[in-house]
Amino acid sequence: MKYIDYYETLGISKTASEKEIKQAYRKLARQHHPDLHQGDAKAKAEEKFKLINEAYEVLGDPEKRSKYDQLGMNWQAGDNIHFDPTNPAGNQSYTYQRAADFDNSNFGFSDFFSSIFGQNFTHSEHGGSKANSGNYKGEDVDASISLAVNELIHGAEKELYLSLPNVCTTCHGQRFSQQGICPSCGGTGVIEDTRTVKVKIPAGLYPGATLRLKGLGGKGYGTGSAGDLHLHLQVAENASWQITGSDLETELILYPEQAVLGDSIKVSTPHGPVQLKIQPTTHTGQRLRLKNKGLPKKQGLGDLYLRIRIDIPQNLSPAAKELYQQLHNLNITDQDTPESKIA
């Protein structure tokens, strides 16, 4: 009997979390659902869909996954692998039994699956009346949002358009109905519900932070409470600020006389204007650091860096031109000394 790598089937690692397993299954189940294909492609999709569901039956159940992982480590010991659930000590004396097709539908499980779980895999495991009377907490949902620099610093109110997974009301999240694969959810166990929600982003959150919004996730089943929305915060690109982690950088333009003589000027920052003292002989390319004027971080604030660029005013008055001419003549005179002459 050929060993089936259920992890490879779902395209996940052996260390995948329950959430990652569920996400991978739903993505593949939608992609390979037979109703989305025609002709020969439909037949291939049916086989792939069965294998995907079989993989999730095992990996989506902690107990089955543990049993499968134990077996998987020893499968190469021989072609015929048996599993005796009454012998957990590990003596490999197992019997082959074909698992009954679910509700007499065409959804059959492989011999490999049957050899592990035998005929005890029945409709009751999928829920039946037990599922109908159950109460389940809604799923937690992950979403990302990009915020402007000022929104991260000062907070904001945002409107989000979310697609939320809710328990399928036909199969009650069990993926199967009396007709076999649930026609309402396509075997995923959930139906997508779109909702627009308003959220308040508090001030001072840093890029990469996660905001947990209780009750804004998927709806619960029965009396189960709704899941939570985990909102991952990112900072949007900005034309005014170059962003590096929690530090910001921007260009500060000075006139030549300000750079040479020094000055006191008002500078805009994301936290409001500040008065900045320019030291004499400041040069182009120099960076001035304004501490704690950047983005929030886990502890404190980042810094704001001002990159100096010296520019010439486009419209000079005659008096200003005269002064620049005098400065030019003075520089020529200073350079025309015996020491600077070339013999």
Side-chain angles (χ1 to χ4, degrees):
M1 180 179 299
K2 183 180 179 182
Y3 170 78
I4 300 177
D5 190 335
Y6 291 138
Y7 291 99
E8 182 178 348
T9 299
L10 296 184
I12 55 177
S13 69
K14 288 181 170 58
T15 58
S17 65
E18 182 180 346
K19 182 177 180 180
E20 290 171 330
I21 292 172
K22 188 177 295 184
Q23 289 175 337
Y25 164 71
R26 287 178 180 170
K27 179 180 178 181
L28 291 172
R30 293 188 185 97
Q31 179 181 346
H32 295 283
H33 195 281
D35 290 347
L36 301 178
H37 302 271
Q38 301 292 331
D40 293 340
K42 183 171 183 176
K44 293 180 180 179
E46 287 176 349
E47 291 302 315
K48 182 69 174 178
F49 189 76
K50 288 180 181 181
L51 184 56
I52 291 167
N53 274 275
E54 179 174 310
Y56 184 65
E57 283 294 338
V58 176
L59 301 184
D61 183 305
E63 185 177 347
K64 291 189 180 75
R65 182 182 182 183
S66 176
K67 188 180 294 186
Y68 169 76
D69 286 343
Q70 294 174 31
L71 174 66
M73 291 185 292
N74 301 309
W75 75 273
Q76 288 180 318
D79 292 334
N80 294 327
I81 304 172
H82 308 273
F83 192 97
D84 181 3
T86 65
N87 184 14
N91 296 327
Q92 307 295 328
S93 57
Y94 308 110
T95 57
Y96 285 93
Q97 291 181 335
R98 175 70 179 175
D101 288 351
F102 182 75
D103 283 336
N104 296 320
S105 72
N106 292 325
F107 190 85
F109 293 93
S110 70
D111 288 336
F112 178 77
F113 181 96
S114 305
S115 70
I116 303 176
F117 302 107
Q119 293 180 336
N120 293 326
F121 186 76
T122 62
H123 176 59
S124 61
E125 280 198 52
H126 286 291
S129 59
K130 179 181 177 181
N132 294 338
S133 60
N135 301 310
Y136 307 106
K137 182 180 183 294
E139 288 192 32
D140 291 345
V141 176
D142 288 285
S144 297
I145 184 172
S146 292
L147 299 173
V149 169
N150 65 306
E151 291 176 330
L152 277 172
I153 294 173
H154 302 293
E157 289 191 2
K158 307 291 285 187
E159 191 171 79
L160 304 178
Y161 185 72
L162 300 174
S163 180
L164 303 173
N166 295 326
V167 176
C168 177
T169 55
T170 301
C171 67
H172 311 293
Q174 302 306 305
R175 309 183 355 260
F176 298 92
S177 68
Q178 295 298 329
Q179 293 75 38
I181 298 170
C182 178
S184 298
C185 65
T188 63
V190 297
I191 52 177
E192 298 294 331
D193 177 31
T194 56
R195 194 195 316 169
T196 301
V197 297
K198 290 184 178 180
V199 298
K200 186 174 182 179
I201 310 295
L205 292 179
Y206 56 91
T210 298
L211 186 63
R212 177 173 173 258
L213 300 169
K214 191 173 181 180
L216 291 184
K219 292 181 181 178
Y221 178 76
T223 59
S225 60
D228 300 331
L229 171 63
H230 297 270
L231 194 58
H232 304 282
L233 307 184
Q234 302 171 349
V235 57
E237 294 185 3
N238 189 288
S240 300
W241 314 103
Q242 180 180 330
I243 304 168
T244 306
S246 290
D247 292 336
L248 302 175
E249 184 171 328
T250 191
E251 191 175 65
L252 178 61
I253 299 175
L254 300 178
Y255 294 137
E257 61 273 17
Q258 291 177 307
V260 173
L261 303 175
D263 200 356
S264 180
I265 60 175
K266 184 178 289 187
V267 176
S268 296
T269 79
H271 300 269
V274 298
Q275 201 68 24
L276 177 65
K277 185 177 181 180
I278 303 297
Q279 297 296 329
T281 66
T282 297
H283 56 82
T284 293
Q286 188 174 340
R287 294 169 80 225
L288 306 180
R289 176 190 176 204
L290 298 181
K291 192 175 181 181
N292 296 330
K293 295 300 180 183
L295 291 174
K297 51 186 181 180
K298 287 186 178 181
Q299 294 183 347
L301 294 167
D303 300 327
L304 171 61
Y305 291 89
L306 304 175
R307 187 175 62 256
I308 301 298
R309 181 167 71 87
I310 300 174
D311 197 13
I312 303 295
Q314 293 184 356
N315 299 314
L316 291 175
S317 65
K321 287 184 179 180
E322 178 62 27
L323 290 174
Y324 274 111
Q325 185 62 52
Q326 292 179 20
L327 178 61
H328 177 68
N329 294 338
L330 179 61
N331 287 336
I332 292 177
T333 302
D334 289 342
Q335 293 173 9
D336 191 18
T337 61
E339 290 82 3
S340 64
K341 290 182 178 180
I342 299 176

